[in-house]
Each structure stands twice: as structure tokens, then as C-alpha cells.
Amino acid sequence: MTETTSIVGYSDGDTDTNDSIQPTLESMAASRYSRRQALFRGAGATTMAFMGTSLLAACGDDDGNSDLGAVTVSAGANAATSAGRVVTLTGSASGTLSDSVAPRWTQTSGTQVELSGTSGTVTFIAPAVAAATDLVFTYTATSAFGETSTATTTVRVSPAVLGFSAVPHSLADVAVVPEGYSVTIMTRLGDPLTATTPAYKNDGSDTDFANRIGDHHDALHFFGLSATGTPDVNSSTRGLMVQNHENITRQYLHVNGPTTTAGARPMAEALKEIECHGVSVVEYVDSGNRKWTYKQDSTFNRRITPNTPMSFHGPAAGSSYLVTAYSNDGKTGRGTINNCANGVTGWNTNLTCEENYAGYFRRDVSDDALRTPRELASLQRNGVTGRSGNNAWSTASTTDDRFTRWNATISSATAPATADFRYEPNQFGWVVEIDPFNPKSTPRKRTALGRFGHEGAFVRIATGQKLGIYMGDDSRGEYLYKFVSTATWAAADANASDRLAMGDKYLDAGILYVAKFNEDGTGTWMPLVYSPTFPTRPASGSGSSAYPAYTFESQADICVNTRFAADALGATPMDRPEWTVGNPVTGEIYLTLTNNSGRTPANTNAANPRAYSDPYTGGSPVNGNPNGHIVRLREDGDTTSATTFKWDIYLFGADAADADPVNVNISGLTAANDFSSPDGAYFSRSTNPAGQINPVMWIETDDGALTDRTNCMLLAAIPGRVGDGGAVTITNTLGAASGTQATRVGAKATAATLRRFLVGPVQCEITGIDMTPDGRTLFVGIQHPGESGPTAAPSSHWPDSQTGTPAASVRPRSALIAITKNDGGIVGL
């Protein structure tokens, strides 16, 4: 709750020195106002106060017109509010009114707003402003004799502020939002996407997930849809929700949990698990006043699974690195998997990012002897080392390549690459472009953007500049990347009908860079461009962690083995780089760094400066950098193609109750805004007040260190700018080890700049976020509630628990929720 006091200024009758929004007696006399009316209006303003919604009720003013046949009108008292709030204007008129001309409100000065409602009562959303700004409205009524009477009221709008009370810590099995907000459960695991697909039983017996919503809801985006079914970036009532399905909670997908017989998984179980991964495209509709539903039989609905045909584009397409028994020419493939964060292009396509693909693959012991040293190094560096593969899908069949493809073992010493799936792992770890408006289109994997554990791909578009795409590699000690297109952005391409062709233009040619952060708050983008003199990745490590020296052969090689190329250039190893997002006003880029259990006082760096032990109630302390942080950077010259930048650490995660306030809780968090393991990040859209002037940033968590106090959460922030803090030196202590690390930090958080907005249900991760263009609905993904519970006794019953008390046997489901403000205002303000 935010209280906003009314504006009551001092006036001694001197117009030149009046800074009040109350009119002077002289000005009112000129407008035929009486002294009695001026005093009345002043009194009304002094007693006006409100929370959230501004209501301007009739106060009995008139315009002083006593002519025969005139009507008396009132426009209500002057008021004050802040950007994004709902303001209600209520006028009244008495006397003999015209039957043909209804009383009406008009705006007579100030930033233009859209008035909605009846003639006597209208509402509007207070616009974004950089400083207090007056809006003046006039209420006009016409008498039966054709004479008009008017009255005015002034609304002073101040810059946006966070407009909700912070949600406290919660361990409840519900999604908790602030007072004045409501939650609607949208698409859930298993919901049908065709008219003929049966309802989900949620007892483990359901099948056909190629026509159902998948599991582990992750990154999402709402693509506005017009009445005729074409892209409409301004639509806030109809759209296509594109959402990633990162992984599965296996025990709840089967009647009695997953099974194995004689070392083999049943084909039906394996197929269900495979199809629960990928991406969904679903039509969402507002039936009125933000009452959201999804359209089960929409022709736009689509599932993209690990079995969906794909095509490869960019430098690695057609190379020997991508040849398989399915793709003899290395230009095609099947599916996408472990889709985490996302990106959105300027031509209305979705970028979905393949993260931890490596663990799904099996490699038998015999495979090592059949590999070249280069291949073994690549497999090890990218984590393709398992002997069974996640979920053991390859055991489900010896002939059906929907399952055998997950075995990357070379079939024999004499077999060609087209005989098996030795290079199938190379077909994953990419950014995949999807046209959500064309269900028949084939998604395209954009190899110029590199191959690694892609978390997200934020696309920054600026007039007259090349595209900049910022990407994190979500693993300990990995890197931040940027791709800069060869083509300069042309605004006309935003409306192209062949949207994937625009992807060919902007995403297949350009320069891929990796970031190096310097201790003085500067940084460098280092190009990953092949030449005969490109550095060799030196040999390193020992034993099972040893890597031989690796010399690159081509740009395709760099694209496939991007991690090696970044190693060779000496990029800065980060604490699990996750989502990237850009401030729509400043252009500054934010990177969430979730955590790193491998940090010690000896291996910190300026951009990843903490190593400590975090107490955990009822368990062992969590060591390293267990609470994570958020780095932000600003390109020199504010251009996407800059090769240098400035940076600082915007926020440090911490447990406010027990963290060292000097060396751990560096951002000064309190119980109202402390958090751990930032993951998802998002800025409100620039099409509404929450995304303008000082945009609201949203931070989602995927936590394992603060979960003794609270479930995972979503916070709202109004961040400052790079450089608003200063240089500090942190003293790190972890066991007997200690050391110091210099770094650059942002300004400390305050109650005005950071608040907890939502806490999710038991054992969930909060991830995936977007809003409608008008900012009045916020969509949030809730992933794997109850992930640690057994099949027969789930540890969560969400989303059923959101609105009732379900039976103890009810299984949890990942789901997407719509959050709206009860008064219809902008979410967060």
C-alpha cells in the first residue's frame, strides 16, 4: 500500500507566485467562479487522500451561471496520483438537461490520456511522467435551452512508484500476491490443445503430449493477435502465448512413477517424457475486464517437441559436425530440448534457447576409443559424458530412432557418421527461431549465435544500429556472449510477412563476441571470428578434468565449440550466467548470475566477487556464492556494436537475517526484499507507464539457499544506472580460506526501489514472465511445484491448492498464471 497525499499549495492571491494546483481567486473570477466555490474546492482538496485508485467525486461546484435555463455542474475536487494508477472522474449536473446532448468529460491540457466510461463517470490510467505534471479535465453539460455549463478539475501526476505492499516470506502451497491483486490459473501441464484431445486426468495415465501443454513452464512471451489473426503488437486482449517447457517431474507423469524392465524403459513412458519437453504456442483471450482463458481449439495452437523437424542456418549448417543418420547433409534435424529462457525479435518471432541438453545423451565406454582427441575434448567440454543419459530414453528401442538418437556412441570403427548419431549432441545447444503465427513453419536453429548452454537471448534493437543479442551460458565458470548482426535494423522489417526470412537476414551473419570484465569497471567484447591465427585453446587440467590443446579449423568449428573459443581468448568466468534483459529506456543490459558452489576466496574475480558460507536452517551450510547477484553493463557510445563497456553489480542476493552486512549483504536487503539465486529477469513493456521513463524491472528466483525461510519469489524493482554506486573491496572467508576482492557495486536497495511482489508454492521455481502491452496483466510461469515429493504422496498440490483444499493424492502441475490489479491499473504501480 502506498499513500499519496493531496497537493495543497499556499496562495496569497498573487498569481505569479502561486505553485498550488488550486486556482487563484482572480483566475476564478475571470471564469465566473464565486468566492464560495473557491473556498469549497480548497476544502475538498485538503481532505482528499487515496491509495492506488484516485476517485474525483462531485462536490457541488458550479460555474456561477445563473441564467434562465442553465444547469449546475460539478467536476469534483483536484487530486494527486502517480503514473500507472487508475483515476476516476465523476461529474454531476442538475437542472433541465438537454435530451440530445449528454454531459461529457474532455481533457483540456496536459499529457493526453484515454478516457473510458459513461458521460458522468470516466476513468483513465495516469501516464508516465518525468516530473509532477498537471492534467486538466472539463465537465460540460448542456441545458434544454442549448446553453452550456462547465467545471474543471486538475489531476497532478507524479513519477511512477512501486504501488503495493511487499509480500512477506511464505512457505505456503499457494502463489501469494499483494493485497489488491488477483491470480488466474492459465495453461497447466497436460491441458489439451485440440478440440478432440481429452481433458487431463492428472493420474499418470494421460498420453499424447504432442497435443498437450508440456511440463516445467519456463520463459514465455505474449504475441498480440489481431481480430483477423495477424500480428498486432498493441493487442492486450488476444494473443499467442509462447512458452518453453524446460524439463519434467517424472514421478508425476506415470501411474506409479517411471519404470524400467530388464534395463529398458517402456516406449510409451519414454515418448511421454520426450514430448513433455519443448515449446507450446497457445491462443489466449480476454473475455472482458481481464478475464483470461485459453482457446483449446485454436488453429494457432501448436506443440514443438524434441521430435519436431528443424532446419539449420548460419556458419555451421551443412558442416560435418551436424551430420547424423537422420541428417545426412547436416542441414536438418529434429526437435529442441531443455528450453530455458528466450528472446523476441523485432519481426514477431520467438527465440527459444537450448540449455542443459548434454545430460540427455548416452555414450558407452566403447565410444572413447573410437573418437579423435578433438572429438573427445569437445564432448568433455560440453558435458556429453554420461553412460546412460537422463531418463535412459535410448533403452526404449533398438530400432526406433526417436529413442536410439539419444545414444551418441559410434556404432563401429568403420561406420560413417551417417550410420549413427555420434554427432547428435552437436544438433543441440542452439538458439532456435520460431514463427508463432505460422503453425506449419519449420523452426530454424541459428548457428551464428554459438553453441553452449544457452539460457536466454535478449535482442536489443535501436534505430540505425545493428542488432545486439546478449546471451548467457548457464553453467559454473561460463561466459557472457553478444552477437552483433551484419545488417543494420530497417524499421520496415518489423512488418515482414516472411518472418523467418528476416531471421536469415539478421541472425545468420554477424560477429559473435565474448565478454571480459576488468576490475576498474570497464569491459571488452572479444570477437570469436576464425582466422588461421585464432588462438589455440591451451591444454589444461589433470586426470579426468584434463583437456588437450584445441586448434580451430573453421568458423563452423568455433560455432560448434564456442566454449573452447571463449576459453582461448581468456573470457571472464561467471557464476552461472542466466537471463539477459535490457532496460528499454537506458539500453543498459542486465545479467542474472544465479549462484556458484565452486567459488572460493582464491578464484573470485571483480564481476563475481563473493565466496562465503550461508547458514541453512535444518541442513548444512551452502558454500561458494549461494545467493547470486546481478551484473549490469552499458555499452560505450550506447551502441550495440561497441567493443567496450562499463559495468557494475546492480544487486547482491542475500539472506537479510543472518548475512554479514558488510561482505555478503552488500546491497542492504531487508526481510521485505531479500532474495537468493536470481534467474529470470524482465523489464515492463515500453508500451505502458511501467516501462517508460524509469521502467520497472522484475526479478525471478530459482533458489536453494533461502528456501529454509521462503519459497521462490518474484520481485519488482526500479533500478538506477550503471555507476550509481562505487568501488568496494570485499573480504571473503570460507572455512580456513580468506582473501579480498575489489569490485564495482550499484546503489543500495531501498523499500522504494525493491519489493517482493509474489511468493510461489512449495518447491517451485518462478520463471517466465511477460505482460500485455497495456501493462494491466502480468503473466508468470511457475515450474515444478512439489518436485521432490514421491508419486503417492506429493509434497505440493498446486495449482489445485490455489483456490481450495485438494485431496492429499492430487498431483502438482507446472502452470502459467495471469496476475491482474483489481482496480484495473498497471501491475506493480
Side-chain angles (χ1 to χ4, degrees):
M1 177 180 70
T2 299
E3 289 194 0
T4 306
T5 57
S6 57
I7 304 299
V8 181
Y10 172 77
S11 173
D12 63 357
D14 183 347
T15 302
D16 291 338
T17 61
N18 177 21
D19 63 357
S20 169
I21 64 172
Q22 309 303 324
T24 63
L25 295 179
E26 290 78 5
S27 65
M28 287 191 291
S31 301
R32 299 193 300 169
Y33 277 83
S34 69
R35 184 175 182 85
R36 177 191 63 80
Q37 293 162 330
L39 295 174
F40 188 90
R41 174 163 291 180
T46 62
T47 58
M48 186 281 297
F50 59 89
M51 291 156 289
T53 301
S54 304
L55 175 62
L56 307 184
C59 296
D61 293 356
D62 61 53
D63 70 349
N65 188 344
S66 60
D67 296 340
L68 180 66
V71 295
T72 301
V73 296
S74 168
N78 295 333
T81 189
S82 59
R85 307 285 182 88
V86 175
V87 180
T88 299
L89 304 176
T90 299
S92 65
S94 61
T96 307
L97 296 173
S98 169
D99 292 332
S100 59
V101 182
R104 64 193 182 279
W105 280 100
T106 56
Q107 183 177 356
T108 49
S109 72
T111 305
Q112 286 300 118
V113 298
E114 180 180 352
L115 299 177
S116 303
T118 63
S119 59
T121 301
V122 296
T123 62
F124 66 90
I125 300 290
V129 294
T133 301
D134 289 346
L135 313 183
V136 180
F137 301 88
T138 300
Y139 188 64
T140 303
T142 303
S143 75
F145 300 94
E147 295 191 27
T148 60
S149 298
T150 62
T152 63
T153 192
T154 299
V155 179
R156 175 162 289 177
V157 180
S158 295
V161 294
L162 297 178
F164 60 91
S165 296
V167 172
H169 294 158
S170 172
L171 293 170
D173 196 27
V174 294
V176 184
V177 294
E179 182 180 356
Y181 286 84
S182 295
V183 171
T184 300
I185 305 297
M186 298 300 294
T187 39
R188 305 158 295 177
L189 164 68
D191 280 346
L193 295 181
T194 72
T196 57
T197 304
Y200 193 61
K201 298 184 182 69
N202 196 27
D203 60 3
S205 66
D206 301 282
T207 59
D208 190 19
F209 277 86
N211 289 305
R212 296 184 183 276
I213 292 291
D215 205 353
H216 284 212
H217 295 44
D218 210 292
L220 57 90
H221 188 79
F222 178 85
F223 288 87
L225 195 63
S226 72
T228 59
T230 56
D232 181 357
V233 295
N234 295 312
S235 174
S236 293
T237 57
R238 183 189 183 200
L240 300 179
M241 182 60 68
V242 181
Q243 184 163 40
N244 291 342
H245 299 292
E246 182 182 15
N247 209 323
I248 58 175
T249 307
R250 280 206 303 169
Q251 66 269 32
Y252 300 132
L253 290 178
H254 310 295
V255 175
N256 296 305
T259 63
T260 300
T261 302
R265 292 293 312 284
M267 288 180 64
E269 286 188 8
L271 182 61
K272 181 189 298 189
E273 293 170 9
I274 291 169
E275 290 179 342
C276 274
H277 289 74
V279 180
S280 63
V281 181
V282 190
E283 183 175 344
Y284 274 28
V285 179
D286 173 9
S287 59
N289 294 321
R290 292 158 297 284
K291 302 297 183 184
W292 288 96
T293 59
Y294 87 97
K295 196 173 186 309
Q296 179 178 334
D297 61 350
S298 172
T299 57
F300 289 102
N301 290 354
R302 181 184 188 187
R303 276 303 315 282
I304 298 165
T305 76
N307 292 325
T308 301
M310 303 269 162
S311 63
F312 282 88
H313 297 257
S319 71
S320 60
Y321 297 98
L322 300 178
V323 169
T324 70
Y326 177 86
S327 177
N328 288 184
D329 60 2
K331 295 181 179 179
T332 59
R334 278 175 298 179
T336 184
I337 201 165
N338 209 259
N339 303 82
C340 202
N342 64 344
V344 181
T345 70
W347 50 94
N348 286 303
T349 61
N350 185 78
L351 302 180
T352 183
C353 299
E354 299 174 335
E355 188 190 8
N356 295 316
Y357 65 91
Y360 293 91
F361 288 96
R362 158 190 168 191
R363 285 181 53 242
D364 296 342
V365 175
S366 62
D367 187 63
D368 287 356
L370 300 176
R371 296 284 184 172
T372 67
R374 287 171 52 82
E375 289 177 344
L376 280 175
S378 174
L379 290 164
Q380 182 179 348
R381 183 66 178 85
N382 289 289
V384 188
T385 58
R387 299 307 187 192
S388 61
N390 297 349
N391 313 310
W393 292 337
S394 66
T395 67
S397 174
T398 59
T399 57
D400 189 331
D401 67 6
R402 293 177 300 172
F403 307 103
T404 59
R405 64 187 289 214
W406 301 105
N407 185 350
T409 302
I410 295 177
S411 54
S412 75
T414 58
T418 54
D420 52 42
F421 292 96
R422 68 188 69 176
Y423 296 137
E424 186 76 3
N426 293 346
Q427 293 222 336
F428 294 91
W430 305 102
V431 173
V432 186
E433 185 178 16
I434 298 169
D435 182 353
F437 298 95
N438 183 358
K440 296 182 179 179
S441 60
T442 299
R444 300 183 181 181
K445 297 200 174 189
R446 302 297 184 181
T447 66
L449 277 61
R451 173 175 166 264
F452 42 86
H454 276 280
E455 179 72 22
F458 172 73
V459 181
R460 182 184 172 199
I461 296 178
T463 302
Q465 295 189 29
K466 303 174 186 297
L467 267 62
I469 304 178
Y470 298 81
M471 303 169 286
D473 182 354
D474 183 10
S475 194
R476 290 180 299 171
E478 295 299 344
Y479 310 120
L480 171 65
Y481 297 88
K482 176 178 74 168
F483 174 81
V484 178
S485 64
T486 298
T488 299
W489 174 245
D493 290 342
N495 301 312
S497 57
D498 189 344
R499 287 171 285 275
L500 292 178
M502 291 299 99
D504 295 343
K505 175 179 178 180
Y506 290 105
L507 303 180
D508 287 347
I511 298 176
L512 183 64
Y513 295 88
V514 67
K516 183 171 184 175
F517 294 81
N518 302 316
E519 193 169 288
D520 63 357
T522 64
T524 303
W525 292 109
M526 301 181 291
L528 301 172
V529 177
Y530 174 75
S531 73
T533 59
F534 190 88
T536 293
R537 199 273 187 193
S540 64
S542 61
S544 60
S545 299
Y547 293 105
Y550 191 96
T551 301
F552 292 92
E553 299 176 337
S554 63
Q555 188 63 33
D557 189 358
I558 286 178
C559 290
V560 171
N561 293 291
T562 308
R563 286 176 168 175
F564 267 158
D567 293 344
L569 294 184
T572 301
M574 310 290 283
D575 288 347
R576 290 187 57 202
E578 297 243 16
W579 289 46
T580 48
V581 67
N583 184 315
V585 172
T586 68
E588 293 177 345
I589 302 299
Y590 289 70
L591 168 68
T592 58
L593 297 155
T594 295
N595 51 52
N596 186 351
S597 60
R599 279 292 172 209
T600 69
N603 68 12
T604 60
N605 59 59
N608 305 269
R610 292 187 304 174
Y612 56 98
S613 181
D614 185 32
Y616 191 87
T617 302
S620 301
V622 187
N623 297 328
N625 176 20
N627 295 301
H629 57 287
I630 303 173
V631 167
R632 62 185 171 188
L633 62 89
R634 184 160 193 162
E635 301 279 22
D636 288 344
D638 291 327
T639 62
T640 55
S641 56
T643 56
T644 55
F645 57 87
K646 303 293 189 301
W647 68 271
D648 65 12
I649 296 177
Y650 164 52
L651 285 175
F652 291 87
D655 182 345
D658 56 25
D660 175 353
V662 176
N663 297 301
V664 177
N665 190 9
I666 300 165
S667 297
L669 305 183
T670 69
N673 59 19
D674 61 351
F675 66 93
S676 176
S677 299
D679 189 334
Y682 173 78
F683 273 94
S684 292
R685 292 200 188 201
S686 60
T687 48
N688 68 76
Q692 300 164 358
I693 300 179
N694 288 306
V696 175
M697 182 183 180
W698 301 86
I699 302 165
E700 299 174 310
T701 70
D702 178 15
D703 177 35
L706 193 59
T707 48
D708 53 343
R709 300 192 191 279
T710 182
N711 299 335
C712 286
M713 65 186 68
L714 170 68
L715 303 100
I718 299 181
R721 308 273 179 110
V722 171
D724 60 13
V728 302
T729 298
I730 297 171
T731 298
N732 290 306
T733 302
L734 188 55
S738 64
T740 60
Q741 177 63 61
T743 188
R744 312 287 298 191
V745 304
K748 290 182 182 293
T750 68
T753 61
L754 181 68
R755 294 181 194 172
R756 189 177 302 108
F757 180 82
L758 173 150
V759 179
V762 172
Q763 295 173 358
C764 79
E765 172 187 346
I766 304 297
T767 184
I769 181 170
D770 192 20
M771 62 172 42
T772 49
D774 63 9
R776 299 168 83 174
T777 300
L778 184 72
F779 299 107
V780 177
I782 295 183
Q783 181 182 131
H784 61 67
E787 65 174 338
S788 300
T791 305
S795 52
S796 168
H797 307 294
W798 193 86
D800 292 59
S801 58
Q802 188 71 29
T803 56
T805 305
S809 60
V810 170
R811 301 180 182 196
R813 301 160 71 179
S814 295
L816 187 154
I817 61 176
I819 303 173
T820 53
K821 199 172 183 180
N822 296 345
D823 67 5
I826 305 298
V827 177
L829 300 184

